[in-house]
């Protein structure tokens, strides 16, 4: 599982509140990614990081921001949660070309 | 950017028969094509992958084929077993950052 953990694993929040999800890797892989998974859409890239303080947008980045202050941690923030952001969020790292995913965070925005 | 289409969205197969899932991609520069298996409530797990300089790769009961000219690749599972029931995703990477674009998934059900 490439030593990836995510926290929290489940969260219920209200519309308009900020939410931060954490991804932690035990290995020193340069690339880390945040995806969301929704029925009928597969997994879609939100943001990714190619090093400490180096991040870029994916295809569904609106309403999300990320930060990477340490190699091992990649944070995803929903600035003001909306019901459309109810989803399962997966973090991943990349070893050469291979992606390895964390266990996921199930987020419900009421 | 890359676009990956996957078919079928659902597939039911008798135990012991073969299953085939097909994907097409849009960008001819894509060079890496993994397949993931996701069981209910679990994370996607890499099961097999292939690079653009290889036409076919096999690992026990699973195999992947790639046709670069047609821009499509397929997953083949032989002698299917109940534990093969899951959702399968194809994907393709593009660019120096190797961003991974996924298909929409195939729910495979093995009928005992």
């Amino acid at each position: 599982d490439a030593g990836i953990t995510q926290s929290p694993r489940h969260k219920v929040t209200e519309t308009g509140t900020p939410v931060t999800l954490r991804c932690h890797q035990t290995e020193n892989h340069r690339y880390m990614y945040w995806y969301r998974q929704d029925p009928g859409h597969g997994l879609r890239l939100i943001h990714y990081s190619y090093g400490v303080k180096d991040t870029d947008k994916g295809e569904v980045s609106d309403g999300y921001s990320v930060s990477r202050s340490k190699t091992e941690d990649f944070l995803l923030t929903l600035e003001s949660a909306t019901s459309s952001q109810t989803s399962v969020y997966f973090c991943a790292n990349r070893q050469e070309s291979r992606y390895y995913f964390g266990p996921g965070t199930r987020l419900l925005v009421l | 950017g890359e676009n990956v289409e996957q078919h079928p969205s659902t597939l039911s197969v008798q135990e012991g028969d073969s299953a085939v899932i097909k994907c097409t991609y849009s960008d001819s520069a894509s060079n890496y094509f993994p397949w993931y298996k996701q069981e209910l409530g679990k994370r996607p797990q890499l099961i097999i992958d292939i690079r653009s300089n290889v036409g076919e790769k096999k690992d026990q009961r699973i195999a992947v084929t790639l046709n670069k000219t047609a821009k499509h690749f397929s997953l083949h599972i032989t002698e299917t077993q109940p534990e093969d029931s899951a959702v399968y995703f194809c994907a393709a990477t593009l660019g120096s950052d190797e961003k991974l674009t996924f298909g929409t998934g195939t729910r495979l059900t093995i009928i005992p």
Side-chain angles (χ1 to χ4, degrees), chain A residues 52-68:
Chain A
V52 173
K53 292 185 170 44
D54 292 323
T55 65
D56 205 350
K57 296 179 179 180
E59 65 176 304
V60 290
S61 60
D62 287 349
Y64 301 95
S65 63
V66 289
S67 66
R68 191 154 178 219

Side-chain angles (χ1 to χ4, degrees), chain B residues 9-31:
Chain B
S9 57
T10 60
L11 179 61
S12 294
V13 174
Q14 287 290 140
E15 182 178 353
D17 288 350
S18 296
V20 180
I21 302 170
K22 298 182 178 182
C23 290
T24 60
Y25 59 99
S26 60
D27 198 316
S28 57
S30 290
N31 55 15

Side-chain angles (χ1 to χ4, degrees), chain B residues 69-83:
Chain B
T69 303
K71 291 190 285 187
H72 65 71
F73 56 114
S74 300
L75 178 70
H76 304 252
I77 305 174
T78 59
E79 301 172 10
T80 53
Q81 301 169 2
E83 53 264 37

Side-chain angles (χ1 to χ4, degrees), chain B:
Chain B
E2 177 62 281
N3 183 50
V4 178
E5 295 191 357
Q6 182 171 348
H7 299 280
S9 57
T10 60
L11 179 61
S12 294
V13 174
Q14 287 290 140
E15 182 178 353
D17 288 350
S18 296
V20 180
I21 302 170
K22 298 182 178 182
C23 290
T24 60
Y25 59 99
S26 60
D27 198 316
S28 57
S30 290
N31 55 15
Y32 173 69
F33 307 91
W35 286 87
Y36 285 82
K37 175 183 180 182
Q38 187 178 30
E39 296 175 346
L40 189 61
K42 304 291 187 181
R43 74 188 80 190
Q45 297 266 23
L46 178 68
I47 56 172
I48 195 167
D49 54 7
I50 192 169
R51 294 197 174 278
S52 58
N53 58 350
V54 176
E56 183 173 358
K57 183 177 179 180
K58 190 173 182 181
D59 183 3
Q60 298 181 32
R61 294 187 298 108
I62 60 173
V64 57
T65 59
L66 172 65
N67 183 327
K68 283 189 65 179
T69 303
K71 291 190 285 187
H72 65 71
F73 56 114
S74 300
L75 178 70
H76 304 252
I77 305 174
T78 59
E79 301 172 10
T80 53
Q81 301 169 2
E83 53 264 37
D84 295 330
S85 293
V87 178
Y88 291 81
F89 292 95
C90 63
T93 62
L94 179 66
S96 59
D97 287 337
E98 295 193 42
K99 290 182 287 186
L100 198 57
T101 299
F102 284 84
T104 50
T106 296
R107 182 175 300 279
L108 176 63
T109 301
I110 306 302
I111 304 166

